Amino acid sequence: MATAPRNFAAELLDRELDNGWRVTRQLARGPSATGGQFSIGYEVTRTDGVRAFLKAIDFSRAFRPGGDPARLLQAMTEAFNHERELCKTCSVRRMSRIVSYLEDGTVEVDPTQPYSTVQYLIFELASGDVRAQLEVMQQLDNAFVLRTLHAVTVGLKQMHAAGLAHQDLKPSNVLQCGTSAKIADLGRASSQAVVAPHDSLSITGDRGYAPINQLYGETGHGWDARRRATDLYHLGNVAVFLFTKGNITAAMIAELGEFQRPGVWSEGFAQVLPYVRHAFETALEELKLSVSPMILGKEIKSIVRQLCDPEPDRRGHPESRIRHENQFDLQRYVSWFERLAKQAELGFTGGAR
Amino acid sequence: MTLDPNDESRAIVPQWRAFEHARRTGELDPASILDAVQGPSEALQKLHHEWTASGAMTFASELVAGSLVEGVPEYGRSAATVLASAAASTSRVVDVIVSEVLGTRSRLPKRRGPPQEEVHRLRHEVADRLRDPFAWVDLARAYEGSGSNQKADQAMSIALALAPNNRYILRSASRLFQHQGEIEKAHRLVARAPQIRSDPWLLATEMALAGLMGRSSRHMRLALQLSGDSGQSPWQISELRSALGSAELTTGSVKKARKLFRGSLEDPTDNSLAQAHWAARRHDPGLRSQIGDITASAEAVAWQEYRDEHWLQALAAAEQWHAAEPFLAQPLILGTHLAASCLLDYEKAEELAMLGLRANPESFTLSNNYIYAAAHVGKIIEAEKQLYKLDLVALTDRERIVHTATKGLVAFRKGTTEEGRLLYREAIGLASSHNDPAILASALLNFAVEESRLEARPDSLQLAEEALAKVAKGRFPTLLPLANVLSASIRRAAD
């Protein structure tokens, strides 16, 4: 009878690592499959007292019975290397709104066993993701939400400027680091310069947060429309989540007829698009009514309308399109969220005083 | 006098419903569906794990939304139940998602107001959703219902530009053009649709419009194939079979038509039900036994109740039919006739005729019925104004007789009695020479009623008796209510 291979990544607690790091705690989060990398999270502490987050990659999955270890191992290794390279790029370019990558390394867990070497990445430690912040809030703090959105938009803009696209932005990947929000998990990110193993997938990130076009198999044409437009959609969806705890894709699907939904509709994205657009407009109306005060609701509706347009080619600021600038450039949204956050802080749009 | 509603011809052109209504009928569904829904992703399973471990509402919201997006709503149902019963209020967006996952969502159609209010509401809505083609279609429909044909045309052009190949929009646009008398344009639009050879709904529309132009469809053979063993559900091809049946009727092949209509009734749309009911009424009484419950079609119910002389029920159904297709003249022609002639409710008749004239200002029958009702309620100036608007050149012989009699009524009510008498006599003479007993009886009856309202004259009793005899002889049930009024008036005079 075949048994499951030993998961060495799960055996790092209390181990000493290179450069004075010690694994002090396994984080409560369950095994993570985000980024296509099966990983286990730990808290690590350096000899100088600095605490950090360690992401240990679980290669044991490649050796599961019935699998193709050579192929799986190659895929996992490529994915790990890709993520590590992107993390390094972000670090070199000092992206202030991307969770800081500190270092990577390996540790041999059991010298008597083959393949017991575990690879890991170490990042700055966050106090938690944005969902935990929302959970403890008695009343939604618009200023906090808008500051978070501003930070996330800056983070995406920093990545886009380096020719990178995140592709898997969602609430659990927005971390609270000190007083600011930062983007984490580059496991599904794409680079304009290097082809990633997951680049050929029609849905690169979490299916539950996928842009609606991707659910119908429509990915967009060209790097910008395919990658940056996806980031824009995800950003809009994070805005929807932070204000409503909802999801714009789900809200659209709720407005679609039973047979017009992804996985059921048989006639292609162009044919279903009129229905999707109608559903989108209806969902936007619900969004507007979900945000208080109404004046802010109108602005958030406008932002989400531009960011989450069902057609990737139509995403982005209309002014940018008119001026023949890059429509996926996020600078206008950085400014927009900055203004709204300031207004909220001053109490003009319902921010905490 | 009012003119009998005419149901001599009927084509199975699309019923142009409001978008939400059309969606509820299932008319927008694709011909085939996929079964490509996978199980919950690992990310969703992780969320489930996080939610069960923490009980956090934020995770519950994410889980419910994710389950809907991934097409596995059952996976998020327990979390949705918790959210639905949570003391803390959730946002409207989450409420929508939760109720969808729980299957408790009620999509109540928006309450419709009078045509102008409807236009106002939809203009406001369109301004906020400029790229939503269906909002433009609904606005076009409201414009058409309020008589603003040009604006309806403009709104529909925008809808067509936004979604040029959408079945609902093509069918709605063709219905609009047909209503505006541009049948060729309507036909061209549908015939050139890229999916015409595979979409039974468009094919049915193309055939109906070709029939209205006196042509037969180029796709007859294909239509027969599709309506046969094409693997499509009987509901999807119901209107196509009905269109084929109607085409057979025009060539006189009643037997073939009956077979096709029978097929269309396997799982009928309300339109194919109304078409089969019409075919049974006008061409093939043998088909009647094949038609089951007709309550799904307000049109069929209205005609059936009319035939059964249930005037009140027929009027209620005609109003329902009008609500479904507010730009159509037929439901209101039937409604005004029922209200004025059968129920003697002239105020109702005037109100319905006014509604109908907004969208159909060229309709002689609606104009005539309006004048008749307005004269009865004492709105002589309005009645006369409408008389001047009529285009008399295009009238048929029957319409000319009715028009002459109605002018007689207005003259009587205006106090120019002699002119009224002359006009009624002219109408009666014309009806006699055209050998039209129904029109003759109606003209005589209305003339006699007008005379009975004046001081008694030696010949007025004779006229009343002649009118009553004609009504009795011809067994015209729609004239009986007015005949009863006349009889009562004679009795009172005799007493």
Side-chain angles (χ1 to χ4, degrees):
Chain A
M1 184 180 149
T3 54
R6 196 169 147 191
N7 182 0
F8 297 106
E11 300 178 21
L12 299 192
L13 197 61
D14 294 329
R15 282 184 187 273
E16 300 287 342
L17 309 175
D18 294 343
N19 299 328
W21 291 105
R22 182 182 172 78
V23 182
T24 50
R25 187 164 69 100
Q26 183 171 343
L27 296 175
R29 292 167 63 174
S32 168
T34 55
Q37 288 291 343
F38 293 92
S39 62
I40 295 177
Y42 294 93
E43 188 180 314
V44 290
T45 309
R46 207 162 52 190
T47 42
D48 59 1
V50 170
R51 289 156 65 216
F53 169 73
L54 180 141
K55 180 177 175 180
I57 311 300
D58 169 18
F59 286 111
S60 67
R61 283 181 160 253
F63 302 101
R64 282 189 171 178
D68 182 345
R71 201 175 292 278
L72 284 170
L73 202 55
Q74 183 192 6
M76 292 172 85
T77 309
E78 279 177 8
F80 172 77
N81 286 335
H82 181 74
E83 183 177 358
R84 181 169 54 181
E85 287 313 308
L86 297 194
C87 288
K88 283 181 179 170
T89 306
C90 294
S91 178
V92 168
R93 294 181 74 116
R94 296 176 188 277
M95 295 187 192
S96 58
R97 291 292 175 264
I98 306 295
V99 169
S100 302
Y101 155 84
L102 302 178
E103 60 185 272
D104 64 287
T106 56
V107 55
E108 192 174 32
V109 176
D110 184 350
T112 65
Q113 295 291 318
Y115 308 112
S116 78
T117 302
V118 172
Q119 284 205 273
Y120 60 82
L121 298 166
I122 297 180
F123 300 92
E124 71 176 302
L125 186 66
S127 54
D129 70 49
V130 72
R131 299 174 302 172
Q133 299 277 329
L134 287 184
E135 191 66 26
V136 295
M137 267 181 205
Q138 294 292 319
Q139 199 181 356
L140 191 69
D141 179 349
N142 286 339
F144 166 79
V145 167
L146 290 161
R147 275 283 160 226
T148 302
L149 286 169
H150 175 258
V152 171
T153 313
V154 171
L156 282 182
K157 186 173 163 48
Q158 289 171 339
M159 286 187 73
H160 289 185
L164 307 178
H166 188 280
Q167 304 291 280
D168 195 22
L169 183 68
K170 56 182 178 178
S172 61
N173 285 338
V174 177
L175 304 186
Q176 196 64 30
C177 299
T179 56
S180 178
K182 291 189 181 185
I183 299 173
D185 196 352
L186 303 187
R188 285 296 188 179
S190 285
S191 163
Q192 237 171 332
V194 187
V195 177
H198 49 257
D199 274 357
S200 59
L201 300 175
S202 59
I203 299 175
T204 40
D206 185 339
R207 190 144 51 100
Y209 280 95
I212 192 133
N213 55 301
Q214 292 185 355
L215 297 172
Y216 288 101
E218 171 66 36
T219 53
H221 306 290
W223 202 84
D224 272 358
R226 187 163 183 177
R227 308 294 172 201
R228 289 172 75 168
T230 299
D231 278 354
L232 263 64
Y233 188 97
H234 285 152
L235 174 63
N237 213 358
V238 166
V240 173
F241 180 82
L242 293 180
F243 278 107
T244 69
K245 294 189 184 171
N247 172 328
I248 194 72
T249 315
M252 276 191 245
I253 289 172
E255 299 299 339
L256 286 168
E258 186 188 351
F259 298 122
Q260 292 156 356
R261 296 182 177 183
V264 181
W265 179 261
S266 60
E267 296 178 3
F269 184 63
Q271 284 70 30
V272 83
L273 185 59
Y275 303 116
V276 172
R277 192 163 284 290
H278 178 79
F280 179 51
E281 293 294 345
T282 310
L284 285 175
E285 194 55 30
E286 295 294 344
L287 169 67
K288 184 181 87 178
L289 298 171
S290 294
V291 178
S292 175
M294 197 188 277
I295 189 168
L296 179 61
K298 280 185 180 173
E299 298 224 35
I300 297 303
K301 179 182 171 183
S302 295
I303 291 173
V304 173
R305 173 182 273 138
Q306 293 169 17
L307 292 174
C308 296
D309 194 290
E311 289 175 89
D313 289 340
R314 295 197 63 83
R315 279 177 210 146
H317 203 286
E319 198 69 24
S320 300
R321 277 209 304 274
I322 291 165
R323 291 168 186 252
H324 301 291
E325 297 164 2
N326 188 327
Q327 70 187 76
F328 305 111
D329 183 22
L330 286 165
Q331 183 52 49
R332 289 178 190 277
Y333 299 99
V334 170
S335 309
W336 201 340
F337 283 130
E338 169 74 20
R339 173 174 65 76
L340 290 176
K342 272 188 182 153
Q343 285 176 346
E345 281 156 3
L346 293 169
F348 292 154
T349 52
R353 289 164 202 247
Chain B
M1 58 191 273
T2 63
L3 191 58
D4 284 358
N6 182 354
D7 68 338
E8 244 168 61
S9 63
R10 187 188 192 281
I12 185 146
V13 288
Q15 291 195 336
W16 184 8
R17 299 178 178 86
F19 175 69
E20 281 303 329
H21 186 179
R23 184 163 75 167
R24 280 200 302 280
T25 66
E27 187 187 324
L28 317 179
D29 294 343
S32 61
I33 56 167
L34 292 177
D35 185 14
V37 174
Q38 302 157 18
S41 65
E42 293 210 37
L44 197 62
Q45 291 176 39
K46 184 178 161 231
L47 256 179
H48 198 285
H49 171 82
E50 285 177 325
W51 173 61
T52 45
S54 69
M57 290 301 189
T58 311
F59 292 157
S61 296
E62 262 195 299
L63 175 60
V64 174
S67 72
L68 189 60
V69 172
E70 294 194 11
V72 286
E74 62 284 353
Y75 195 71
R77 215 156 273 160
S78 48
T81 308
V82 171
L83 282 170
S85 57
S89 64
T90 50
S91 68
R92 288 179 63 123
V93 173
V94 171
D95 287 348
V96 165
I97 297 167
V98 164
S99 57
E100 188 64 32
V101 164
L102 291 176
T104 55
R105 186 123 186 260
S106 64
R107 283 197 180 92
L108 291 175
K110 284 179 183 142
R111 220 165 55 99
R112 286 187 62 240
Q116 283 310 324
E117 271 180 35
E118 193 65 1
V119 164
H120 181 76
R121 180 180 73 79
L122 289 166
R123 273 180 60 182
H124 185 73
E125 202 168 294
V126 154
D128 204 34
R129 36 170 74 198
L130 291 169
R131 294 192 60 77
D132 177 356
F134 305 117
W136 286 103
V137 175
D138 280 351
L139 180 61
R141 185 171 174 272
Y143 272 135
E144 192 66 5
S146 67
S148 306
N149 297 6
Q150 213 178 337
K151 287 181 177 172
D153 232 20
Q154 286 166 356
M156 188 57 87
S157 303
I158 295 171
L160 278 167
L162 288 169
N165 299 323
N166 180 269
R167 176 201 296 162
Y168 168 76
I169 292 175
L170 285 169
R171 278 165 55 91
S172 302
S174 70
R175 190 72 176 94
L176 170 70
F177 299 149
Q178 185 231 333
H179 183 247
Q180 293 180 348
E182 296 190 80
I183 301 174
E184 290 241 11
K185 185 178 172 185
H187 180 261
R188 205 164 44 239
L189 180 75
V190 177
R192 287 181 181 173
Q195 73 271 41
I196 183 72
R197 295 180 64 80
S198 59
D199 189 321
W201 298 86
L202 286 179
L203 209 46
T205 310
E206 190 273 336
M207 290 187 66
L209 291 168
L212 284 177
M213 293 191 298
R215 296 185 205 155
S216 65
S217 167
R218 284 194 301 137
H219 302 293
M220 207 69 167
R221 189 176 292 180
L222 179 73
L224 276 166
Q225 273 173 13
L226 266 180
S227 71
D229 202 14
S230 63
Q232 309 229 32
S233 73
W235 193 80
Q236 289 271 358
I237 53 175
S238 171
E239 291 195 10
L240 182 60
R241 284 172 165 172
S242 186
L244 281 162
S246 306
E248 292 294 352
L249 271 187
T250 58
T251 61
S253 311
V254 177
K255 221 171 157 184
K256 279 188 188 169
R258 186 187 297 177
K259 195 178 161 201
L260 285 156
F261 278 122
R262 206 186 301 141
S264 78
L265 292 167
E266 243 182 84
D267 186 5
T269 66
D270 52 355
N271 196 11
S272 48
L273 197 57
Q275 185 75 0
H277 196 259
W278 165 82
R281 282 198 313 272
R282 305 297 309 196
H283 297 279
D284 182 11
L287 189 60
R288 183 66 61 87
S289 60
Q290 310 289 325
I291 303 172
D293 182 14
I294 58 166
T295 48
S297 166
E299 180 185 349
V301 172
W303 287 114
Q304 188 58 50
E305 297 289 11
Y306 178 63
R307 291 228 146 184
D308 293 345
E309 298 170 28
H310 300 149
W311 311 129
L312 272 171
Q313 290 90 328
L315 179 59
E319 286 191 273
Q320 270 185 34
W321 179 15
H322 162 68
E325 296 186 274
F327 53 91
L328 273 194
Q330 287 92 324
L332 294 173
I333 288 174
L334 178 61
T336 50
H337 173 68
L338 282 160
S341 295
C342 309
L343 295 162
L344 308 182
D345 184 347
Y346 300 111
E347 282 178 4
K348 183 77 182 171
E350 189 219 354
E351 177 199 325
L352 294 179
M354 269 172 66
L355 262 180
L357 281 170
R358 279 210 190 102
N360 302 278
E362 309 292 316
S363 164
F364 165 76
T365 312
L366 278 174
S367 282
N368 176 75
N369 292 1
Y370 171 77
I371 296 163
Y372 182 78
H376 270 281
V377 296
K379 295 184 176 174
I380 306 300
I381 295 170
E382 287 86 342
E384 281 200 301
K385 271 188 190 166
Q386 191 63 31
L387 269 177
Y388 289 123
K389 284 185 195 168
L390 280 175
D391 175 13
L392 303 180
V393 180
L395 296 189
T396 63
D397 288 345
R398 202 161 194 257
E399 286 169 346
R400 197 174 296 279
I401 301 168
V402 171
H403 176 60
T404 308
T406 302
K407 276 200 298 188
L409 167 72
V410 175
F412 262 102
R413 295 294 168 126
K414 202 168 66 172
T416 53
T417 314
E418 273 316 310
E419 186 196 354
R421 283 185 183 124
L422 278 172
L423 286 162
Y424 265 121
R425 280 190 195 117
E426 186 188 339
I428 290 162
L430 283 167
S432 296
S433 62
H434 280 88
N435 202 16
D436 192 331
I439 294 283
L440 176 62
S442 180
L444 270 168
L445 181 63
N446 277 280
F447 184 20
V449 168
E450 290 311 303
E451 287 289 6
S452 74
R453 296 175 77 243
L454 303 173
E455 205 172 307
R457 284 169 19 129
D459 54 350
S460 59
L461 182 63
Q462 195 188 337
L463 175 66
E465 281 170 352
E466 190 190 348
L468 290 172
K470 287 271 184 223
V471 172
K473 188 181 170 199
R475 293 201 186 102
F476 302 114
T478 60
L479 295 179
L480 285 177
L482 192 61
N484 290 338
V485 169
L486 182 61
S487 299
S489 156
I490 294 171
R491 276 199 303 274
R492 272 200 306 276
D495 291 345

